[in-house]
Amino acid sequence: LLPMLDEIVKMLGLDLETIDAIAAAGGPGSFTGLRIGAATAKGLGLALKKPLIHVPTVDALAYNMWGASGLICPILDARRSQVYGGGYVLQNGYPIEAFKGGAYTVEDFLEKTYECDRRLLLGDGTDAYGEKIAEARREKGKFTEFAPEAIRYQDAVTVGRLGAKLLQEGKGLSYQELLPDYMRQAE
């Protein structure tokens, strides 16, 4: 990760001292990926004396869906027939929680969404469970739409965009305060 960052800095002619903050996907996600991201962000934050921004993964996915209506449901494959997910509606382009994000069985996640007639699914959980969820909702007369593949998955740009917004709201953290959100115990 650090050699890649160094290459990007060289390609752009960027002085790291000029950045305002460091946004990091804070989870949920893979344990190893979250640890590597948090450790890198903490090291850079400490060295550069810059604030860190914890960007929840499912919030960033929802934030990517500007212009969407209805219930936006980012889901990540948590394995073992579970998803990390949440429900959001957009207000002024900003994701507002409609129901709490967390680790859910696929069935429990479905229960959270039956009240809504229209639902948009995105995230890598759609690859594993999307059709199962859509079929169960169809049986109840509910519509499920999938986000276009080009914007269905988490990306660093969206984490950065939402991080900038959170920084404006004063949500910067010190390197000691940034902690990944694992949502469940490691195996």
Side-chain angles (χ1 to χ4, degrees):
L1 181 57
L2 288 173
M4 288 171 54
L5 179 62
D6 185 52
E7 185 66 26
I8 290 169
V9 167
K10 287 176 184 171
M11 284 173 44
L12 296 175
L14 179 68
D15 178 359
L16 287 178
E17 294 293 329
T18 64
I19 66 171
D20 296 321
I22 299 162
S30 77
F31 295 103
T32 302
L34 292 175
R35 277 192 223 96
I36 290 169
T40 303
K42 285 174 169 252
L44 289 170
L46 175 62
L48 298 171
K49 297 177 179 62
K50 300 292 181 178
L52 305 177
I53 309 296
H54 176 281
V55 179
T57 308
V58 290
D59 290 16
L61 279 163
Y63 190 63
N64 204 31
M65 299 314 302
W66 56 271
S69 61
L71 185 65
I72 298 168
C73 293
I75 56 173
L76 301 170
D77 185 359
R79 313 271 191 262
R80 300 183 297 198
S81 295
Q82 290 187 324
V83 295
Y84 298 125
Y88 298 83
V89 292
L90 293 181
Q91 290 182 356
N92 299 321
Y94 190 75
I96 305 297
E97 261 187 353
F99 67 84
K100 182 104 176 103
Y104 296 100
T105 65
V106 174
E107 291 74 23
D108 288 344
F109 189 77
L110 267 165
E111 287 297 319
K112 295 267 188 198
T113 69
Y114 281 136
E115 298 168 13
C116 184
D117 289 331
R118 181 183 177 89
R119 184 169 73 155
L120 177 67
L121 280 179
L122 68 152
D124 69 16
T126 60
D127 299 338
Y129 306 110
E131 287 305 321
K132 178 180 180 177
I133 291 170
E135 178 59 31
R137 285 179 50 82
R138 254 190 311 274
E139 290 172 6
K140 295 211 181 237
K142 306 291 183 175
F143 179 72
T144 301
E145 180 181 1
F146 293 92
E149 192 170 339
I151 57 173
R152 186 178 302 165
Y153 305 103
Q154 178 185 345
D155 65 33
V157 172
T158 306
V159 170
R161 285 180 35 236
L162 184 52
K165 183 163 183 50
L166 294 171
L167 179 66
Q168 288 176 343
E169 295 173 3
K171 296 188 178 172
L173 303 170
S174 70
Y175 73 93
Q176 297 105 324
E177 295 171 306
L178 182 74
L179 298 171
D181 184 5
Y182 295 116
M183 288 205 179
R184 71 175 189 209
Q185 295 293 321
E187 292 179 1

